[in-house]
Amino acid sequence: VEMASQEAKELLSLGPSEVGSLNDGVNFRKNPEDGKCYIIYKSGEGIRACKNQCKHQGGLFIKDIEDLDGRTVKCTKHNWKLNVSTMKYVNPPDSFLQDELEVEVSDDGGLRLLELNPVCVTYLTHACMELQLGGKRLMFDPWLKGPAFARGWWLLHEPPEDALDRMCAADLIYISHMHSDHLSYPTLKVLSERRPDMPIYVGDTSRPVFWYLEQSQVKLTNINVTPFGVWQNIDDHLRLMILMDGVHPEMDTCIIVDYKGHMILNTVDCTRPNGGRLPHNVDLMMGDFAGGASGFPMTFYGGKYTESWKEQFIRNERKKLLNYKSDLVRSLQPRIYCPFAGYFVEAHPSDRYIKDTNIKNSPVSLNELINRTAPDIKTWTPKPGAVLDLGLALRDPSNSAAITDPPAGAKIYKDSWEFSLYVDELNRAISSAIFKHPGWIQFYYTWAGFANYNLVVRMVETDDAFEPVAAGYDYLVDFLDLSFPSSRPDREHSYLEIKNRMGVMRHVVLHGGLWDDLYIGFQNRISRDPDVYHHNWFLCEWGGGGGGGVEEGAEFTIILTGS
């Protein structure tokens, strides 16, 4: 793809005599037409310029009388200081980099200060990126508060303080799929309260991204379900195309964004994005890297599932994933690559075993592998609030100023997650009146409708440590005839024993939720005899996906993925 040149806006024009009157060092000049002021720094190396506006809270700069070299200006609001010769803030040190204006000198000695339409990418957290493309702002997969997969996943990185404000101020949002680390209802509740008409783009998957919207009571009124492989024109310069995954086309999607020839490819969680048919040499590619997004094998017990077996299996799987991702990036040869969509942590104290066992790939390790095997590809390991100036990075890949890290002292990793707020909400389902009557069991599984499969499952409700609780249910389901025997049948059959945390299981039943919350969220423990993966049972869509729950008697979906 041929990159188009960036459009520029003229902010100030000076004639030859006005340029000649500039002093060495700091100069202030005002545009007489709109009254806006600019800072021009003149030295033997040339002229640099910027807007007279502090990045902190928009205050105006004045000359710093304490600066004997004539290079520094001071903000009138909070005394922040900017060295205009380097465009770096010196108070506070190692904080922001001032946005520099283009200086165009004419043949007659005059000059123009130009502002290029920015092409910037800001990492917020996990799979959430903000794209500033000229005058438009796009956001990918905003998970900015609360847990994902019931109570199993929590944000590793602390989003910038203004992340929710930025989401609500975006021009559009892309949500890749229904999993709650990408489709976060706690986050979207904030959006619905402040900007319910936000344009949201999703792919036309057979399992709708917003299947649970009505039951969630989150009000969003501008959801655009788009066909795969068709450009969606946002304006004259910006378009996007949503593509399906080749392995899970019913659910996973990825996206290409094209802004005036700048191509950005986000493969998100796709196992084989678009069946392997992807553009080469895009300007920026981003995708997942971590692994560990499954209960297998950490939540399995008995038989071969010893700690040493799990450790070896996890190590091998992570290495295979790292090599696959590296090979994919090397084959596509993007100009810049960023690993993301893997920054979650099993932070709840009750999941310490999972956190210690579920070792994930490091983004640094993936980038180092790419750097060794494809040294022409620039890599970026993002921090929350870090900004990639794509235009500058493409013009000069060696320029460290192309990446602006968060200010010194900014919080990178979360250390507080409001556990009780979200766990208590889940556990309120325990006392629901429907569970006082054992008849809910037969109603639930009959309603789900999966049968004619020679599998018997024992379901045990447990506490957080997966110990049976006196008030919990312990029952068998025979899926051959959808019966509920008091003991295992005499015939030969496959057998699963599943221990589920009571609060999460009852919340799933009550609200017609996904069994992903139990399995991907590490909220159960599983034993199987024989040790066979039951594809038909684990991947079935029970009920077809509607909503409600047992309490409301509506159709619902249960999805339980496995390995």
Side-chain angles (χ1 to χ4, degrees), residues 134-152:
K136 295 287 187 183
R137 289 182 183 267
L138 286 67
M139 189 169 284
F140 295 153
D141 289 333
W143 171 29
L144 301 172
K145 63 181 299 185
F149 298 109
R151 45 179 279 193

Side-chain angles (χ1 to χ4, degrees), residues 296-298 304-305 307-320 563:
F296 188 87
M298 292 78 64
K304 71 182 181 185
Y305 296 106
E307 296 309 308
S308 60
W309 187 93
K310 291 179 183 180
E311 181 182 356
Q312 184 64 41
F313 179 88
I314 291 168
R315 184 186 303 115
N316 291 340
E317 289 300 302
R318 299 299 179 267
K319 184 177 180 180
K320 286 193 290 187
S563 292

Side-chain angles (χ1 to χ4, degrees), residues 210-216 444 447 508-514 542-558:
F210 278 100
W211 69 276
Y212 193 70
L213 183 63
E214 184 176 347
Q215 300 88 276
S216 74
Y444 180 71
W447 175 23
V508 166
V509 169
L510 194 63
H511 298 283
L514 301 177
W542 297 5
V550 166
E551 193 170 42
E552 301 161 57
E555 185 181 36
F556 63 93
T557 299
I558 303 171

Side-chain angles (χ1 to χ4, degrees), residues 131 138-141 172-176 201-203 226 228-232 234 238-245 252-258 263-270 273-274 278-279 282 284-286 340:
L131 277 58
L138 286 67
M139 189 169 284
F140 295 153
D141 289 333
L172 67 91
I173 291 173
Y174 160 69
I175 294 179
S176 59
Y201 284 76
V202 298
T226 65
F228 293 118
V230 178
W231 284 112
Q232 306 296 315
I234 308 303
L238 176 62
R239 60 181 183 166
L240 59 87
M241 179 190 292
I242 297 177
L243 303 171
M244 70 171 65
D245 182 31
D252 279 331
T253 73
C254 56
I255 189 171
I256 302 172
V257 178
D258 174 14
M263 299 287 285
I264 297 172
L265 170 64
N266 176 10
T267 60
V268 205
D269 287 354
C270 288
N274 201 39
L278 295 170
V282 298
L284 172 64
M285 176 181 174
M286 58 187 81
F340 84 143

Side-chain angles (χ1 to χ4, degrees), residues 393-411:
L394 295 174
R395 289 195 301 273
D396 182 5
S398 64
N399 192 337
S400 60
I403 295 174
T404 304
D405 281 330
K411 193 173 182 180

Side-chain angles (χ1 to χ4, degrees), residues 501-522:
R501 284 177 174 158
M502 181 189 289
V504 179
M505 180 62 185
R506 292 192 178 186
H507 188 273
V508 166
V509 169
L510 194 63
H511 298 283
L514 301 177
W515 275 32
D516 286 349
D517 285 350
L518 291 159
Y519 183 68
I520 300 178
F522 316 114

